[in-house]
Amino acid sequence: MKGTRAKGVVAAGHRLTAEAAAGVLREGGHAADAAIAALAMACVCEPVLASPGGGGFAMLRDGATGRATLVDFFPHTPRKRKLADDAGVAEVIADFGTATQAFHIGPATAAAPGFLAGCERLAALGGGRPLADLFAPAVRAARDGVRVTPYQHYLSTVVLPILTATPEAAALFAPGGEMIGAGGTFRNPGLANALEAMASGGLATSAVGNEVVGLQAGRGHLTADDLSSYEAIERRPLSVGIGAMTAHLNPLPAASGVLIADSLNGIGDVGGVTLARALDATDRARRQAGHDLSRLIDRPLRQRGTTHVSVIDAAGNACAVTVSNGEGNGEPVGRFGFMLNNILGEEDVNPAGASAWPENVRLASMMCPAILEAPDGAIVALGSGGSNRIRSAIAQVIAHLALDGANLADAVVAPRLHVENGHLDFEDFFDAGARAALAAAFGDHRAWPERNMFFGGVHAASVDADGRFSGIGDARRDGAALLV
């Protein structure tokens, strides 16, 4: 989807998510307001990845001034540890088909959510439309029901033990005893009620907040004070030059921007081996910090399931926003149809156990919503899900755009690679010479026969110097793009 004059463009991880943003753009709305509408809808149609119980990051560009601002609304650790040891924490095993992975869930794994605070801050920085108006399409969809896509059904089967961890969760996500199959309809009136309550009364003072506090009492660490004291934080982006372009990246305490900037600094061209060696050098630097970049930035590192939205409007305002709920803590918030995050229980955050997290700290992340600017005024908003592959996916797309002059679609579709601990994974679509060079440079390698969600899903939107919009939703993660 390219080269069209329009009112704006959106790219996201689900068509309904993109349509919610497009509705705001059709009315001449601000990119930030469109992104808010998309985030609310993602909670409805991408419930494994997005939830009012999670949080994320947004990169916002002001069309009038050109100023870029990073909004950090990621989960924050509780102000005080209330339980000892691993009380309130349970282990479940997720089945990825070729491998299994242990996850930790339960009421004590929830950090203070920032989703609503992030929406409120974006509304203040954007067009300022009431949240009730922006949430309305999601509220209707939650009550009417949404069709389950094959991709969303697959994700739900992977984390089935979490979605059915309690009778309440099973009743919500597996009514009748089985997960709703692809093509089936998922209705969530409780989530509709939650979105309405939070839009009108905030989180801490609403019925939703009261339910959270009640569920956490004696079983988790969150209190009313944790909810009321949470603030979305505006930060100055990490801005780096790449070719003739400037990339605005997620700054510290997030790990992602630092790693992406390091990789971009080492990329001289977009040849397969050059890209792989730059990513390898960054990974070695990360591993020299003890396999945990948090030792360099003094924050716990967070990297799990995510979804992303990119929006640009006719005034040149751009918003790239990435959100996550971890995998969810296995327990719906009463009658409100969503789970809190399980971030305190994740081993990449707390390798010493669920009782070892630092108090009152903003968690760091591999998520990196980004905005790329060209000297002629062209703008690209982009971001990705994909755990620790986020850094390599975004670095490669930026390199293709800034160094190779690729158009947006080609930059996203180009075969990806990822290097970790000396092992190379790559999508096997390089030409014969490049493929042979990659295999020679990295004896420990694995070729993937298809473009795979393992390598992230970069949903990107752009506008060129002549005002023509383009967008692409990465097919690796069932993305969709709409011009308005």
Side-chain angles (χ1 to χ4, degrees):
M1 185 175 299
K2 61 182 180 179
T4 303
R5 292 184 180 276
K7 292 183 178 179
V9 61
V10 55
H14 194 289
R15 185 170 183 85
L16 291 179
T17 304
E19 287 178 351
V24 176
L25 294 177
R26 287 190 192 98
E27 299 171 357
H30 193 286
D33 288 346
I36 293 167
L39 292 179
M41 185 64 78
C43 293
V44 178
C45 61
E46 304 177 62
V48 176
L49 303 175
S51 165
F57 300 87
M59 188 70 74
L60 184 65
R61 178 189 184 273
D62 186 290
T65 65
R67 182 174 181 265
T69 301
L70 187 284
V71 179
D72 177 347
F73 58 100
F74 203 65
H76 195 95
T77 64
R79 296 164 71 87
K80 295 292 182 182
R81 189 174 290 104
K82 300 295 184 182
L83 303 178
D85 300 322
D86 289 337
V89 178
E91 182 177 275
V92 297
I93 304 298
D95 186 357
F96 290 85
T98 57
T100 60
Q101 184 172 356
F103 292 111
H104 295 90
I105 63 172
T109 63
F115 181 91
L116 184 65
C119 290
E120 291 171 337
R121 185 61 59 91
L122 285 176
L125 293 172
R129 286 182 56 179
L131 290 187
D133 291 350
L134 298 175
F135 285 2
V139 168
R140 288 193 296 271
R143 290 197 171 117
D144 294 343
V146 298
R147 185 181 66 84
V148 177
T149 66
Y151 177 66
Q152 292 298 320
H153 175 64
Y154 165 72
L155 291 178
S156 68
T157 61
V158 170
V159 295
L160 177 64
I162 298 175
L163 298 182
T164 58
T166 62
E168 295 80 10
L172 175 61
F173 293 105
E178 295 184 0
M179 299 299 299
I180 301 171
T185 299
F186 175 54
R187 292 182 175 85
N188 193 347
L191 178 58
N193 294 337
L195 291 171
E196 286 182 328
M198 290 189 293
S200 62
L203 175 59
T205 59
S206 70
V208 180
N210 292 337
E211 190 73 46
V212 168
V213 173
L215 284 171
Q216 287 279 300
R219 305 169 65 242
H221 303 280
L222 294 177
T223 66
D225 190 37
D226 289 306
L227 301 185
S228 63
S229 63
Y230 185 96
E231 292 185 7
I233 301 172
E234 294 180 29
R235 305 189 193 277
R236 178 179 297 178
L238 173 62
S239 300
V240 298
I242 173 72
M245 292 183 163
T246 300
H248 302 294
L249 306 171
N250 199 354
L252 298 175
S256 51
V258 173
L259 294 173
I260 292 169
D262 185 82
S263 294
L264 292 174
N265 186 55
I267 295 174
D269 58 63
V270 294
V273 171
T274 305
L275 282 169
R277 284 178 172 158
L279 295 173
D280 183 41
T282 295
D283 183 62
R284 283 188 281 109
R286 178 183 64 85
R287 287 184 286 109
Q288 287 170 3
H291 298 271
D292 182 1
L293 196 63
S294 66
R295 295 187 181 182
L296 299 182
I297 60 177
D298 194 29
R299 293 292 189 279
L301 178 61
R302 153 79 185 116
Q303 46 187 45
R304 289 294 188 204
T306 54
T307 193
H308 180 82
V309 176
S310 293
V311 189
I312 303 177
D313 66 28
N317 302 300
C319 187
V321 56
T322 314
V323 294
S324 174
N325 196 42
E327 295 76 37
N329 74 350
E331 183 176 81
V333 177
R335 64 189 186 278
F336 289 114
F338 72 92
M339 295 180 183
L340 292 173
N341 63 83
N342 66 321
I343 288 172
L344 298 181
E346 294 192 351
E347 291 182 357
D348 55 359
V349 177
N350 305 304
S355 63
W357 43 268
E359 296 175 339
N360 197 26
V361 168
R362 181 60 50 90
L363 296 172
S365 174
M366 276 292 182
M367 298 197 295
C368 191
I371 290 177
L372 189 64
E373 296 179 325
D376 64 0
I379 304 165
V380 180
L382 71 159
S384 178
S387 188
N388 58 340
R389 277 89 63 198
I390 290 174
R391 59 183 171 85
S392 55
I394 293 176
Q396 287 167 86
V397 171
I398 290 177
H400 283 297
L401 291 168
L403 299 179
D404 197 33
N407 65 41
L408 190 65
D410 289 345
V412 170
V413 173
R416 295 220 186 108
L417 45 81
H418 179 73
V419 181
E420 193 156 350
N421 200 25
H423 169 80
L424 168 69
D425 283 286
F426 67 94
E427 294 176 330
D428 200 5
F429 295 96
F430 292 91
D431 62 42
R435 188 188 193 285
L438 281 169
F442 293 86
D444 181 11
H445 66 267
R446 173 171 49 191
W448 294 65
E450 76 285 336
R451 289 178 171 83
N452 193 278
M453 64 176 290
F454 173 85
F455 296 93
V458 179
H459 308 316
S462 71
V463 61
D464 68 16
D466 295 322
R468 290 185 293 263
F469 292 94
S470 301
I472 179 170
D474 198 330
R476 295 173 179 87
R477 294 198 170 213
D478 205 29
L482 294 173
L483 293 175
V484 178

